[in-house]
Amino acid sequence: MPNPAASSALPSVPKPGEAKTVSMISLGCPRTLVDSELYLGRLQQKGYQVVDEVEGSDTVIINTCSFIQDSIKESIDTVLQAVEMKKQGKLKAVVVAGCLVQRFKHDLIKELPDVDGFVGVDGFGDIETVVGRALQGEHPESLRPRPNVPHQGRRVARAALTPAHYAYLKVAEGCLKGCSFCVIPKIKGPLSSRPIDALVDEARQLVEERGVVELVVVGQDTSDYGVDLYGTPRIAQLLGALAKINGLRWIRLLYCHPKGISHDLIETIRDEERLCKYLDMAIEHADDGVLQRMNRLVTQAQLRERIQRLRELVPGIALRTSVIVGFPGETEAAFEQLLGFLRDVAFDRLGAFTYSHEEGSASFRYPDQVPDALKHARFDRLMQLQQTIAAELTARTVGRTMDVLIDEPDRDDPRQFLGRTSADCPEVDGLVFVRSDRVLRPGQIVPVRITDSYEYDLVGTALTSPTP
Ligand code: SF4
């Protein structure tokens, strides 16, 4: 198969007057979504027309995830559906990009002969060539041995895949940690941060060109941001610089490693008004034996100390975490440790996963794998506990007035709008159902009196005039 990066014998972009259309299915997390926006932005620059509908587009790009077995299955199912659409004449070409391609490379290319082109995680510079050649039936591929982040210039071409009022800012690619269950460093490579000034420029551009008011800062391990460039972590400095951008109202930080939560970072979150009093910090587990086998570099006591410090210094901060249930060797006692910890700490938001047995991870070879049925039973017990905790926490907000960012109108009720408090991240956290006699626009921040609560969501009434 020809390597598109190595050959330029055939045209790779549409000629004037014959714009080809391209659609995107972006799977996985917001980090992949940013990559998808970059692919589409570049294709737009090269003369392609980006369309929402997959059916009827010339090419669909499926940007995949392969972090765990569920995401691999979802990615492959989506590719097979697209191939079927192509066979029915509803598409001309199917291009598969991202983590799945990077992780399984040549096996995937062999197993999916009906896919027209493949791009690994470092294929930004090749995307228009791969799409152009895929449309000509050449089956191109762009696979680099060492994946890394694209260091774009000052102006970043990104086609929006989020509503106009919020966007993700990916500050780095790759990871320096070595959690034993995780294959990400193998797929994405070591940490590669983008410079602070380039990120500030990109954020400013998102505000000016899209009207973004909420910026969600992402990376694999954002607390390590900058170590590779500056010698020490610079996440606090980056957030401080972003907080000075006019027009941005909310900035929130996702994907921190607990070990990297420094005093500097906590103080910055406390002191900068535009930084949401919110932190996403995966603990993964709370039993010391499991934490050690996970190679998480922290103990339960250290986790408690960091959480206590966060809550002391930033009163009311909303803490989000994620945990893995059923890690190899997780005994009933270890699981009880985790439950006890979650009961004590009462995280405001929590995501849980059952352990996924990933070839290539260090824990793949660990003895004492937990049977699936037991993993799922533990998962249910944990989620029941968190439901009770979440319901208690949301009930406490009834009667309060909170700023709510409006996301969209409720399609079924013209007097109801869907929004979020600053303690709720788009896509993963709760919603506020806002009653209002006047029309509210996405991106407006309005004071809302909370009148009722469910386990994860709130109900309220908009007060007086909204903030523009
Ligand atoms: S910090 Fe996150 S991305 Fe890095 S190895 Fe651990 S789980 Fe994977």
Side-chain angles (χ1 to χ4, degrees), residues 40-263:
L40 291 180
R42 185 168 172 106
L43 285 165
Q44 261 175 341
Q45 277 188 328
K46 301 289 176 184
Y48 286 84
Q49 187 192 343
V50 174
V51 293
D52 292 336
E53 284 296 319
V54 173
E55 188 171 331
S57 61
D58 289 311
T59 306
V60 63
I61 301 174
I62 300 161
N63 201 7
T64 56
C65 174
S66 67
F67 182 37
I68 55 175
Q69 293 304 309
D70 285 351
S71 45
I72 294 171
K73 184 175 181 320
E74 186 191 22
S75 293
I76 290 175
D77 287 350
T78 308
V79 172
L80 294 177
Q81 280 165 17
V83 164
E84 194 49 43
M85 285 177 84
K86 189 181 79 166
K87 285 183 181 159
Q88 292 169 8
K90 295 172 180 168
L91 278 170
K92 292 194 183 111
V94 177
V95 170
V96 181
C99 289
L100 187 80
V101 179
Q102 195 72 34
R103 188 169 172 197
F104 297 107
K105 294 192 178 84
H106 303 294
D107 286 347
L108 201 71
I109 294 168
K110 211 162 50 197
E111 296 296 323
L112 294 170
D114 291 320
V115 169
D116 302 280
F118 291 94
V119 186
V121 293
D122 193 21
F124 293 93
D126 299 332
I127 189 69
E128 72 274 14
T129 314
V130 170
V131 170
R133 288 177 178 272
L135 279 167
Q136 291 168 32
E138 284 194 32
H139 294 272
E141 62 191 62
S142 163
L143 294 167
R144 304 274 168 88
R146 193 171 175 279
N148 231 327
V149 72
H151 285 278
Q152 304 113 354
R154 294 267 145 168
R155 307 297 289 176
V156 177
R158 272 177 69 171
L161 291 173
T162 55
H165 59 281
Y166 73 81
Y168 298 97
L169 184 71
K170 185 156 72 167
V171 299
E173 193 61 274
C175 181
L176 293 175
K177 304 278 190 319
C179 302
S180 62
F181 53 83
C182 182
V183 289
I184 284 180
K186 281 199 173 155
I187 301 173
K188 299 273 187 171
L191 181 76
S192 176
S193 306
R194 296 182 56 213
I196 291 179
D197 54 353
L199 290 166
V200 170
D201 281 351
E202 181 175 345
R204 207 173 272 128
Q205 194 185 332
L206 289 167
V207 173
E208 286 163 8
E209 292 176 6
R210 278 198 206 172
V212 164
V213 293
E214 178 181 4
L215 197 65
V216 184
V217 173
V218 298
Q220 305 300 337
D221 168 11
T222 50
S223 45
D224 250 359
Y225 165 77
V227 170
D228 53 320
L229 285 183
Y230 306 107
T232 53
R234 294 293 167 94
I235 188 66
Q237 288 80 352
L238 171 66
L239 292 175
L242 293 172
K244 305 216 165 12
I245 297 174
N246 284 333
L248 269 184
R249 303 287 302 277
W250 288 358
I251 301 163
R252 75 175 72 245
L253 182 59
L254 302 190
Y255 310 133
C256 270
H257 191 292
K259 192 172 170 57
I261 295 174
S262 64
H263 201 73

Side-chain angles (χ1 to χ4, degrees), residues 14 43 48 79 182 203 330 341 380 387 430 453 460 463:
L43 285 165
Y48 286 84
V79 172
C182 182
E330 183 193 62
F341 182 83
D380 290 346
Q387 228 169 25
S453 68
L463 302 177

Side-chain angles (χ1 to χ4, degrees), residues 235-237 239-240 263-273 275 277:
I235 188 66
Q237 288 80 352
L239 292 175
H263 201 73
D264 252 17
L265 175 59
I266 302 176
E267 282 188 338
T268 307
I269 294 173
R270 179 192 65 193
D271 297 341
E272 293 287 354
E273 206 193 316
L275 289 190
K277 308 310 166 207

